[in-house]
Amino acid sequence: MTVAAEGSPPLRMARSRRSSLLQSEAVQGFALISPTFVYALILLVLPILVVIAHSFWTQDYLTIDHTFTLENYRIALTEPIYRDLLWRSLYISLTVSLLTVALAYPIAYFISFHGGRHKSLWLFLITIPFWTSYLLRVMSWKVILGYNGVLNSGLMGLGIIDEPSTALLYNSSAVIITLTHAWATFAILPIFVSLEKVDRTLVEAATDLGDGPLRSFLRVTLPLSAPGIISAALIVMIPTVGDYVTPKLVGGKDGVMIANAIQAQFGKASNWPLGAALSVTTMIIVSLMAGATVLVIRALQRLAR
């Protein structure tokens, strides 16, 4: 009886109609998203493929030799100047990420847990400085850290130093300070979103079971907000490796990063294949570094539990 019922004509017709309807919806959906998906894929992948292709060629003045070679990658990985610039860029980027997340987390925590009905106002106030030009913000830090800048004048006024210090500007520390400020908001927002998703009843339960504020934070709030921390760290770390405006304006010779060398190869040096090889090498190393960062944070999250 059951087999006969399952194979009955009305049931077969119903299944056929449902299958046809699902296929029709799938075809229509694919027809709607396919052009957009293909266009977006081309915009994302094509420039990368062009750069990768250039990295396997060589250039003599304005003439590009399309013969396949790994010479550019040998230069990028073995020449001391490029190797040192790459390590310096990774060090600055990782330091900026750690400092930015460390500064952004308390702000995001305060807004999420103590902002009350003024959360939107706090977020609005945080984003106001970023309405101005990025270049203007970098130049403002140049004024603050300069020889006759605000910081030196303040320290001299307090009697801490007798003459302006030259150690505040045109070094890697100036680049780290400027980038940390420039990317602060981009770290605060994902952490805030992650903290907003934390179930407050879990925090209350930890308190009821005898955990103090610090212990409940370490055992409940911090692990649950780890996705926001990971997102903030990656959002800051990946772009700062390729920043060349900030090192050029406040870094000096001691704050030059790999992006400045890449820009020089595509500009004054007119050696596009070497610039492309430096770009691809940096992209691969940053990807590995980002993956390692995610694994480390998740390992720390498991240990915290």
Side-chain angles (χ1 to χ4, degrees):
M1 293 291 292
T2 304
V3 175
E6 290 179 352
S8 61
L11 186 57
R12 287 200 302 269
M13 291 178 62
R15 289 178 176 176
S16 177
R17 290 175 182 175
R18 183 173 58 186
S19 177
S20 300
L21 181 60
L22 292 175
Q23 291 178 1
S24 176
E25 291 178 351
V27 170
Q28 291 177 2
F30 181 78
L32 289 175
I33 67 173
S34 179
T36 304
F37 175 77
V38 172
Y39 181 69
L41 188 63
I42 291 174
L43 288 179
L44 291 173
V45 175
L46 186 59
I48 298 176
L49 294 178
V50 171
V51 171
I52 293 174
H54 272 76
S55 67
F56 295 111
W57 301 337
T58 55
Q59 184 168 346
D60 185 14
Y61 295 100
L62 298 178
T63 304
I64 294 180
D65 184 0
H66 295 82
T67 304
F68 180 86
T69 179
L70 296 175
E71 179 65 16
N72 295 315
Y73 286 98
R74 186 194 67 78
I75 296 174
L77 295 173
T78 60
E79 285 292 328
I81 183 172
Y82 299 126
R83 187 175 63 246
D84 293 345
L85 286 177
L86 182 57
W87 284 116
R88 179 190 294 173
S89 301
L90 295 176
Y91 163 74
I92 290 176
S93 176
L94 184 60
T95 305
V96 169
S97 300
L98 294 175
L99 289 177
T100 305
V101 171
L103 293 174
Y105 196 97
I107 298 174
Y109 182 89
F110 171 80
I111 297 174
S112 179
F113 282 81
H114 304 287
R117 57 191 180 90
H118 300 296
K119 291 180 182 180
S120 299
L121 177 61
W122 280 111
L123 294 175
F124 173 76
L125 294 175
I126 288 173
T127 59
I128 284 179
F130 296 87
W131 294 2
T132 59
S133 169
Y134 177 78
L135 183 61
L136 182 61
R137 282 180 277 131
V138 174
M139 292 300 296
S140 67
W141 275 106
K142 189 173 183 179
V143 173
I144 295 172
L145 301 173
Y147 184 78
N148 293 318
V150 176
L151 187 56
N152 268 323
S153 299
L155 293 175
M156 290 178 63
L158 295 173
I160 299 176
I161 58 176
D162 297 327
E163 58 182 13
S165 174
T166 58
L168 300 177
L169 192 61
Y170 300 127
N171 50 46
S172 58
S173 298
V175 176
I176 291 172
I177 293 172
T178 305
L179 289 175
T180 300
H181 171 261
W183 289 92
T185 296
F186 297 97
I188 293 173
L189 294 179
I191 295 175
F192 170 77
V193 172
S194 182
L195 288 170
E196 283 291 281
K197 295 180 180 179
V198 174
D199 190 350
R200 281 10 183 207
T201 59
L202 297 177
V203 180
E204 294 176 359
T207 303
D208 294 339
L209 292 174
D211 284 349
L214 180 59
R215 187 174 176 83
S216 64
F217 170 77
L218 294 176
R219 296 185 61 184
V220 178
T221 307
L222 186 60
L224 292 177
S225 62
I229 297 175
I230 295 174
S231 300
L234 295 180
I235 287 173
V236 175
M237 182 181 66
I238 294 174
T240 51
V241 175
D243 193 302
Y244 75 94
V245 175
T246 303
K248 188 175 183 65
L249 293 178
V250 302
K253 64 182 181 64
D254 294 329
V256 176
M257 296 172 64
I258 190 65
N260 300 105
I262 295 172
Q263 189 270 340
Q265 294 301 323
F266 280 100
K268 294 180 180 179
S270 190
N271 191 345
W272 289 25
L274 180 55
L278 291 172
S279 301
V280 173
T281 303
T282 304
M283 180 176 61
I284 293 173
I285 293 177
V286 170
S287 300
L288 295 175
M289 188 175 173
T293 302
V294 173
L295 293 177
V296 169
I297 293 178
R298 288 183 175 176
L300 293 175
Q301 183 183 11
R302 287 195 294 269
L303 289 175
R305 293 176 180 175

